[in-house]
Amino acid sequence: MTTASMATDNPFVDPTSFEDGRGSLAADTLALGRSISLTLGTDALIVLDEEFEKRDRSNCCGLWPGTAANTRAIPFYNILWAELKDSELTINYASPNSKTSVRAATLKYPIEYQMVELVNLFTKRLLDRAYGESQQRKRAKVLVNPHSGKGSAEKWYFRDIEPLLKAAQITIDMAKTRHKGEAVDIAEKMDIDAFDIIASCSGDGLPHEVFNGLGKRPDAKKALSKIAVVHIPCGSGNAMSCNLNGTDSPSLATLAIIKGIPTPLDLISITQGNTRTLSFLSQSVGIVAEADLATEHLRWMGSQRFTYGFLVRLIRKALYPCDIAVKVAIDDKSSIREHYKREQKNHEPASERRGYKFLLDDDASASTGSGNDDGLPPLRYGTVNDKLPEGWELAPYDKLGNFYCGNMAYMASDANFFSPALPNDGYMDLVCINGDISRLEAMQMMFAVENNKLFDNPGVWYRKILGYRIIPKNQEDGYISIDGERVPFAPFQAEIHKGLGTVLSKTGHMYEAPGPV
Ligand SMILES: Nc1ncnc2c1ncn2[C@@H]1O[C@H](COP(=O)(O)OP(=O)(O)OP(=O)(O)O)[C@@H](O)[C@H]1O
């Protein structure tokens, strides 16, 4: 890490720093002068620059704790780009701005012409360490919903998101959505060979539209596999980003996406009437659907409106009677816990995991129903209009308070509702809760969600399932939510397709939520 020994014939390079023991160049430390060096450390780029000390004295910011005044340790995760251009080495990185945000920053160093080869080697190694399995210079179709949340998406895009994407050399093609459904058309018609990701600066509503747009294409399977659908949180419901980026901060989510690893995501086909749509997040009938959808007029409250809507209905002890048939895969909590632990340990090695490759749902070949070779996979359990599949039985749930089926763990930033959920295990997680439990019990459940203890609550019926049919009864009208979007109050059927979609995640195989305790 030291730059003390300088080569006599070149005052700016210490050749010994570049030896890897076999006589070839291994750029670990780049000495750029008597007071400047860049070193590839274990997890970070160590920048030693006496100028830092002078700058810090005049405007102390202390953004990189634990290092000397003349040294910065910039985690490789924060390195956005590095290149040598016009005799200048430029390093772009994400600098902490506050506890919950980063902003693009740059270091620039003039380079002597004798050093060009070494510096190019150094930048290549730095970028390899900075990106690992993540694709460099992704090509992004970006959608901004100016109507999302409290209406700040556009401001956040230009202030917090775009500068980071540009600093990471991401190619951007941005469009603002003008009305509901436009993101479906954009995803349906986009040139999938020209892009790697489609990023929605929005709530969860726009990614839902994007999955459905890709699903409408004649080459749906290929499109859903090749294009990673990603979410930059700017709405009131930002579950997708919490699960995959580990944050609801727009700038931190942007950084997570820049460094994201392609991850297959299970998608769910919903048939209702004569329609077939895709769900990536959740379906709910009962209290959760109502708390979300019946509170649209309270948008000014931000995410608090869900809690408010939930509490009001809890006090009323509302019941939502339904007949339900479920195709169960795992039906007891200890086996679900085992399954989660096994999947956590036994994920495929990184080298064998799917990148942006075309991967088919193998099980689909044994299916019945609509579908073709290139579009969406056929439905193995048929549609809601068909007779019940063999082995399915409708059972009355007359005291139902909450039917909630999840494909991701967090349903909001502080609600880890489905802690055993996994992106690609081929199962949906189903929670059923009776509506006639005492108010005290219901309040305890609400707090259990925040403390990651809901799974173990004895009043929570938790199953891993492959499909279901639900038929609301004895109610004139009500709310059904698919990924937070309202659909008609009518029977529907759901089935899962293992790994049909692609997203980017931090680990490549898990959600950013604590598993079941
Ligand atoms: N310009 C627009 N005007 C009105 N609605 C739009 C516009 N662009 C997109 N939409 C629609 O707004 C809906 C909600 O969007 P989104 O999820 O991004 O925001 P949100 O604030 O989190 O919403 P929600 O509170 O419903 O979760 C989507 O159905 C989307 O199609």
Side-chain angles (χ1 to χ4, degrees):
M1 220 223 271
T2 174
T3 56
S5 59
M6 293 291 172
T8 46
D9 55 343
N10 181 346
F12 297 109
V13 184
D14 173 5
T16 57
S17 300
F18 293 88
E19 294 286 339
D20 70 356
R22 286 163 303 186
S24 60
L25 292 171
D28 288 321
T29 293
L30 192 61
L32 298 174
R34 287 181 201 288
S35 61
I36 302 170
S37 77
L38 307 175
T39 298
L40 300 177
T42 315
D43 306 308
L45 171 71
I46 317 291
V47 184
L48 186 150
D49 184 342
E50 282 174 6
E51 284 297 310
F52 289 149
E53 204 165 1
K54 289 182 204 154
R55 260 182 261 155
D56 268 11
R57 257 186 243 130
S58 55
N59 87 30
C60 174
C61 45
L63 293 175
W64 308 102
T67 49
N70 61 357
T71 307
R72 296 279 176 270
I74 306 175
F76 289 130
Y77 181 75
N78 289 48
I79 299 286
L80 301 171
W81 195 249
E83 69 182 2
L84 174 59
K85 211 168 153 191
D86 301 331
S87 306
E88 195 167 56
L89 170 62
T90 301
I91 298 173
N92 296 336
Y93 61 102
S95 173
N97 199 16
S98 72
K99 272 189 184 158
T100 54
S101 68
V102 287
R103 65 170 167 219
T106 300
L107 292 171
K108 282 182 187 286
Y109 294 110
I111 298 298
E112 296 285 312
Y113 74 94
Q114 310 96 307
M115 291 185 67
V116 164
E117 198 186 330
L118 292 171
V119 173
N120 278 331
L121 184 66
F122 182 87
T123 52
K124 186 182 173 312
R125 293 200 170 203
L126 174 58
L127 287 174
D128 286 346
R129 299 284 287 278
Y131 278 85
E133 292 174 63
S134 182
Q135 185 191 352
Q136 296 175 20
R137 305 184 85 143
K138 300 175 185 67
R139 299 162 304 163
K141 178 80 197 170
V142 179
L143 304 178
V144 178
N145 177 1
H147 190 67
S148 280
K150 294 182 190 171
S152 304
E154 215 174 325
K155 181 175 95 190
W156 292 342
Y157 175 73
F158 288 112
R159 189 190 67 189
D160 301 333
I161 300 165
E162 192 191 62
L164 287 165
L165 296 175
K166 284 188 170 165
Q169 300 282 309
I170 289 195
T171 316
I172 305 169
D173 178 3
M174 191 273 265
K176 288 181 229 165
T177 54
R178 289 163 300 183
H179 53 82
K180 194 173 172 64
E182 195 182 6
V184 177
D185 295 340
I186 292 173
E188 188 183 356
K189 294 185 185 119
M190 73 190 277
D191 175 5
I192 57 167
D193 293 322
F195 297 99
D196 304 303
I197 66 174
I198 178 159
S200 297
C201 304
S202 64
D204 294 313
L206 231 51
H208 170 84
E209 290 193 3
V210 169
F211 279 120
N212 277 284
L214 295 174
K216 280 175 87 175
R217 300 166 61 103
D219 60 350
K221 272 192 215 161
K222 182 178 175 191
L224 285 162
S225 176
K226 183 188 178 291
I227 300 286
V229 178
V230 303
H231 175 220
I232 301 178
C234 297
S236 37
N238 297 306
M240 183 175 182
S241 180
C242 295
N243 284 292
L244 295 165
N245 307 323
T247 178
D248 59 3
S249 144
S251 63
L252 290 176
T254 307
L255 178 57
I257 285 158
I258 289 167
K259 295 302 175 74
I261 301 169
T263 309
L265 178 73
D266 299 339
L267 293 178
I268 292 123
S269 272
I270 307 288
T271 58
Q272 189 182 47
N274 291 317
T275 64
R276 176 180 178 182
T277 50
L278 290 174
S279 163
F280 76 97
L281 179 63
S282 67
Q283 307 97 47
S284 58
V285 183
I287 192 164
V288 170
E290 227 183 283
D292 178 359
L293 300 171
T295 57
E296 278 284 330
H297 60 292
L298 301 173
R299 291 185 83 83
W300 55 270
M301 287 176 105
S303 57
Q304 293 308 318
R305 78 171 218 245
F306 303 122
T307 315
Y308 170 81
F310 199 82
L311 281 173
V312 167
R313 279 149 192 88
L314 213 61
I315 288 161
R316 267 204 266 125
K317 285 195 175 188
L319 295 183
Y320 305 87
C322 294
D323 287 334
I324 305 174
V326 185
K327 174 76 179 167
V328 179
I330 313 178
D331 68 355
D332 70 283
K333 287 184 181 174
S334 69
S335 304
I336 290 174
R337 197 181 268 107
E338 283 308 307
H339 165 79
Y340 181 88
K341 284 193 186 137
R342 218 172 25 246
E343 295 275 317
Q344 192 176 25
K345 250 192 259 152
N346 295 346
H347 71 278
E348 285 171 274
S351 56
E352 286 166 30
R353 216 164 30 231
R354 183 172 101 206
Y356 294 107
K357 279 197 325 286
F358 184 23
L359 183 94
L360 298 180
D361 179 359
D362 295 336
D363 295 346
S365 53
S367 314
T368 56
S370 60
N372 58 48
D373 286 348
D374 303 311
L376 287 177
L379 295 167
R380 83 198 67 165
Y381 301 123
T383 77
V384 70
N385 300 321
D386 297 325
K387 76 174 181 18
L388 271 179
E390 222 177 288
W392 290 36
E393 220 171 285
L394 277 175
Y397 287 56
D398 291 335
K399 302 221 162 126
L400 187 69
N402 188 14
F403 176 95
Y404 205 1
C405 191
N407 192 41
M408 292 188 169
Y410 284 119
M411 290 294 116
S413 58
D414 49 5
N416 185 7
F417 214 99
F418 300 98
S419 53
L422 292 155
N424 184 32
D425 67 350
Y427 301 134
M428 296 175 258
D429 288 34
L430 176 62
V431 163
C432 294
I433 301 172
N434 275 348
D436 64 346
I437 54 172
S438 72
R439 289 188 186 114
L440 179 67
E441 260 182 294
M443 291 298 284
Q444 282 167 344
M445 273 185 201
M446 231 180 102
F447 291 121
V449 175
E450 282 179 26
N451 300 329
N452 191 31
K453 294 201 168 117
L454 185 79
F455 177 69
D456 274 320
N457 189 297
V460 171
W461 188 9
Y462 203 108
R463 291 172 284 179
K464 289 241 174 211
I465 66 169
L466 290 161
Y468 65 86
R469 180 178 297 184
I470 181 163
I471 306 172
K473 62 181 185 186
N474 306 334
Q475 301 161 74
E476 264 173 32
D477 199 7
Y479 292 88
I480 296 175
S481 160
I482 308 289
D483 297 350
E485 301 296 310
R486 189 174 185 185
V487 300
F489 193 66
F492 67 94
Q493 182 164 310
E495 74 167 70
I496 193 147
H497 308 287
K498 185 169 165 31
L500 178 63
T502 303
V503 290
L504 298 181
S505 71
K506 288 179 107 167
T507 60
H509 73 291
M510 300 294 289
Y511 290 130
E512 293 297 306
V517 281

